[in-house]
Amino acid sequence: MDTISKEHTEKLLQFWLQDKSNEQLFLDLLSSIARTESYDLIAHVNDDAVLTSCTSTNIHASFIQLLITSRDQTATAAYLDKYSAYLGVWKLYFQALSAFIECNFDTVIELLSGEVLESEVAYDCALILARTQYITGDINSAVRELTPFVKAGRNSGAAGLYALCNFDLGHYPLSHEWANIALENDKHNIDAILTLASYFVITQELSAAEEAISHCLQLNPTLGRAWSLQGQLNLYRGDIATALQSFSSATTYMPDHIGTWHLFAWTQLFSNELGHAEAAFSKAVNLNPSFSESHGGLAIVEIQKENVDGAKKLIKLALRLDSDCFTARYAQSLLLEREGSLDEASQLVESILQSESYIDSISYKQLVQNALLNMANKD
């Protein structure tokens, strides 16, 4: 909610009801309704006689934006149908925005891909299209869509999303550069802040990462990726209890991210929450049956449950998918230990913990390795 109160908005409404021809007052009222999320007041201003007499594109753009933000899909569609002539070239933008808000990504791509857009709306439409492409995993296309605008120095929104795209493509120095460029013009650009949070985690600048993650969550407390980064930071520091809370939030807000479920499962293993760990590893397997590490994780669970035969089958499956599977190798070491081959088990664990890891990023393996070492040092 905005610092402007709903009471202030209601007063504006009363003033406007007495002077409906005052277009500036109408714009102020629509803005106030949006800023205070007073969507129940929309019915009072959705006056056909007033809207038909208004020729201002700003008023109609503000009204349709308000309907879209309120998630009233029926009213949005009716408005676009009735007042599209007043929106001019912005009609396409609001059609795409409405589809985006409703997660109808195929519709967004159909509306905007290949369009020769009016210069007035080109940037705004490109940003919606690029974000849609990013969300649907077509990150290279998103970068291509954004490139003309970031090169022209247009708007921090494009720069922030461009930074995030490049981070996810593994272009870390470039992502860091563009995140800072975006923040020069908008210190609250969440794409840029999330990029820096991710960057600082992989470069192990933990204090900087903590600050960036905290900023992300202040701006959007339901940002699953930020909660996942917070969990990784907690896990890397060996704070298992807090990591559990962070990963729980991350999977609530980002339920389809396999890596987060996998790390959540490991954290539950460290906490001896075997049933929860099994459920989390299983969730990861359901999301991607070809991800070897989750099968290896389930093997560890089966060992803890004294199901050696089941564990061996899962280890075999995991190693067939990836001969270097970290969790499968760790499960093997646990089996060797149980069978009394202590020296052999110790050598395998040592080889796992000393194995090569990414030079420029913290992989999930490094996080788990670090947590294992922290736990060993506390024993």
Side-chain angles (χ1 to χ4, degrees):
M1 295 288 283
D2 199 271
T3 52
I4 294 177
S5 67
K6 185 171 181 178
E7 288 74 18
H8 173 79
T9 306
E10 289 172 340
K11 286 181 180 178
L12 280 178
L13 174 62
Q14 294 307 314
F15 290 141
W16 176 77
L17 288 172
Q18 297 171 35
D19 184 10
K20 290 186 177 183
S21 63
N22 189 329
E23 293 193 356
Q24 184 57 54
L25 180 58
F26 195 23
L27 272 173
D28 292 343
L29 173 57
L30 294 175
S31 174
S32 188
I33 291 173
R35 291 170 67 184
T36 59
E37 300 176 10
S38 303
Y39 301 132
D40 56 307
L41 301 182
I42 293 175
H44 296 285
V45 296
N46 198 356
D47 187 323
D48 184 64
V50 173
L51 293 168
T52 302
S53 66
C54 285
T55 58
S56 168
T57 300
N58 285 341
I59 286 178
H60 287 280
S62 296
F63 207 108
I64 190 64
Q65 179 87 52
L66 182 59
L67 292 175
I68 291 170
T69 306
S70 72
R71 306 298 291 267
D72 189 336
Q73 193 172 12
T74 301
T76 297
Y79 198 97
L80 282 169
D81 182 60
K82 190 167 187 177
Y83 298 105
S84 61
Y86 295 88
L87 293 168
V89 296
W90 286 96
K91 177 185 177 181
L92 181 64
Y93 166 76
F94 285 114
Q95 286 176 321
L97 178 61
S98 177
F100 180 85
I101 293 291
E102 295 300 322
C103 299
N104 296 328
F105 300 128
D106 288 344
T107 301
V108 176
I109 292 170
E110 182 182 343
L111 284 168
L112 299 181
S113 292
E115 281 286 331
V116 179
L117 299 170
E118 298 279 349
S119 59
E120 188 179 356
V121 298
Y123 169 74
D124 299 271
C125 288
L127 198 56
I128 292 178
L129 178 57
R131 193 169 295 282
T132 299
Q133 291 165 331
Y134 175 79
I135 291 171
T136 55
D138 190 3
I139 301 178
N140 284 306
S141 291
V143 168
R144 286 194 295 272
E145 195 68 38
L146 292 167
T147 297
F149 298 99
V150 296
K151 287 186 175 179
R154 289 285 303 276
N155 197 289
S156 66
L161 183 54
Y162 186 75
L164 190 59
C165 288
N166 276 287
F167 180 88
D168 286 357
L169 290 172
H171 307 153
Y172 302 129
L174 186 63
S175 72
H176 181 264
E177 176 187 349
W178 278 99
N180 283 316
I181 289 172
L183 290 171
E184 287 176 3
N185 296 317
D186 178 8
K187 65 180 180 180
H188 298 306
N189 184 305
I190 197 162
D191 290 330
I193 299 165
L194 186 58
T195 299
L196 290 182
S198 304
Y199 179 85
F200 291 139
V201 166
I202 66 167
T203 56
Q204 302 184 39
E205 299 174 64
L206 303 188
S207 296
E210 187 78 58
E211 182 178 349
I213 292 167
S214 177
H215 193 177
C216 281
L217 293 174
Q218 287 173 7
L219 294 172
N220 184 356
T222 65
L223 189 59
R225 182 163 171 171
W227 280 113
S228 184
L229 287 170
Q230 182 66 61
Q232 292 173 48
L233 207 59
N234 300 142
L235 187 57
Y236 192 78
R237 288 172 167 166
D239 186 352
I240 304 302
T242 307
L244 277 175
Q245 296 173 4
S246 298
F247 285 131
S248 178
S249 295
T251 53
T252 297
Y253 300 126
M254 191 172 58
D256 296 328
H257 191 258
I258 182 173
T260 299
W261 279 107
H262 190 79
L263 286 172
F264 193 17
W266 264 107
T267 309
Q268 289 161 330
L269 270 182
F270 294 146
S271 303
N272 295 316
E273 296 182 12
L274 201 60
H276 291 306
E278 182 176 22
F281 277 130
S282 295
K283 177 69 175 178
V285 166
N286 290 337
L287 288 170
N288 184 359
S290 65
F291 186 50
S292 63
E293 301 294 347
S294 299
H295 295 288
L298 286 171
I300 295 171
V301 171
E302 292 305 314
I303 292 169
Q304 300 300 319
K305 291 165 61 178
E306 309 289 339
N307 181 8
V308 173
D309 289 341
K312 287 181 177 178
K313 289 179 181 177
L314 286 163
I315 290 170
K316 184 177 180 181
L317 172 59
L319 291 174
R320 188 164 65 243
L321 291 168
D322 177 6
S323 59
D324 293 322
C325 176
F326 166 64
T327 46
R329 293 172 65 205
Y330 184 69
Q332 282 181 321
S333 75
L334 295 177
L335 284 179
L336 288 169
E337 187 176 356
R338 292 175 70 85
E339 293 168 358
S341 304
L342 299 182
D343 289 342
E344 193 175 349
S346 177
Q347 290 172 9
L348 182 53
V349 170
E350 183 65 21
S351 71
I352 293 168
L353 295 178
Q354 298 302 322
S355 60
E356 288 293 322
S357 56
Y358 298 117
I359 294 172
D360 59 354
S361 67
I362 299 178
S363 66
Y364 85 89
K365 180 171 70 174
Q366 286 175 278
L367 293 170
V368 173
Q369 287 172 346
N370 200 71
L372 287 168
L373 290 171
N374 281 335
M375 293 173 70
N377 290 337
K378 290 177 182 178
D379 290 343

